[in-house]
Amino acid sequence: MNVLFLCTGNSCRSILAEATFNALAPAGMRAMSAGSQPAGYVHPRSLALLAREGFATEGLYSKSWSDLPRVPDLIVTVCGSAAGETCPVVLGKVPRTHWGVDDPAKASGSDAEIDAAFVHAYRVLRARIEAFLTLPGDLARRDPAAFQVAVDRIGELSA
């Protein structure tokens, strides 16, 4: 299964989700991330957090949803803006779900407060990814309606 984590800028949340999913997922499952309006860079705090968590950051970059290496089997929007956008035709009628997470790049305050916003976003995404990875591997194929309900409910989980 190929999962696309989609956000507007593809610099924070979707990058955190891509790297976390790929580190935790079993063979045969892969994540990619993209943005509808890519920022052109990955936020340094995202990269630092991933490195602290022991995840590889090589090859992570802000990319457009029109430059995907493969068609996803599931699209997970992680920001409200991307959730409301119409996906390009190339993505077809792929199942979608929304796992909204506050944008840590918009956090203000001290360095510690901003870092805490990034950690919170990461923890929420990780909890949801871990829940997703407990779903039966063939659920999407076997019972698409039950799969949709399950992935939608996962979006309601907090850290």
Side-chain angles (χ1 to χ4, degrees), residues 85-140:
E85 293 177 339
T86 302
C87 286
V89 170
V90 70
L91 295 180
K93 294 186 185 242
V94 174
R96 291 179 67 155
T97 193
H98 180 63
W99 294 356
V101 178
D102 290 337
D103 187 356
K106 292 185 178 176
S108 60
S110 68
D111 279 346
E113 291 168 323
I114 295 169
D115 283 342
F118 276 82
V119 168
H120 177 73
Y122 163 74
R123 287 186 179 151
V124 169
L125 289 165
R126 181 168 179 146
R128 292 173 181 174
I129 289 165
E130 288 174 342
F132 177 84
L133 293 173
T134 67
L135 295 175
D138 65 342
L139 183 60

Side-chain angles (χ1 to χ4, degrees), residues 6-156:
L6 184 62
C7 203
T8 306
N10 190 223
S11 66
C12 294
R13 294 164 286 183
S14 53
I15 294 284
L16 290 170
E18 174 187 13
T20 302
F21 189 97
N22 286 335
L24 301 177
M29 298 184 88
R30 195 81 186 137
M32 31 189 182
S33 69
S36 58
Q37 301 168 26
Y41 69 94
V42 176
H43 198 290
R45 289 181 193 260
S46 293
L47 294 172
L49 174 58
L50 290 168
R52 281 194 309 274
E53 292 297 317
F55 298 149
T57 60
E58 301 80 33
L60 294 174
Y61 65 99
S62 178
K63 54 207 155 293
S64 172
W65 62 5
S66 61
D67 297 327
L68 298 174
R70 57 198 167 276
V71 175
D73 301 303
L74 174 66
I75 298 171
V76 179
T77 54
V78 293
C79 74
S81 297
E85 293 177 339
T86 302
C87 286
V89 170
V90 70
L91 295 180
K93 294 186 185 242
V94 174
R96 291 179 67 155
T97 193
H98 180 63
W99 294 356
V101 178
D102 290 337
D103 187 356
K106 292 185 178 176
S108 60
S110 68
D111 279 346
E113 291 168 323
I114 295 169
D115 283 342
F118 276 82
V119 168
H120 177 73
Y122 163 74
R123 287 186 179 151
V124 169
L125 289 165
R126 181 168 179 146
R128 292 173 181 174
I129 289 165
E130 288 174 342
F132 177 84
L133 293 173
T134 67
L135 295 175
D138 65 342
L139 183 60
R141 179 189 51 73
R142 189 172 35 86
D143 191 343
F147 176 75
Q148 187 68 56
V149 168
V151 296
D152 288 347
R153 283 190 182 146
I154 289 169
E156 299 168 9

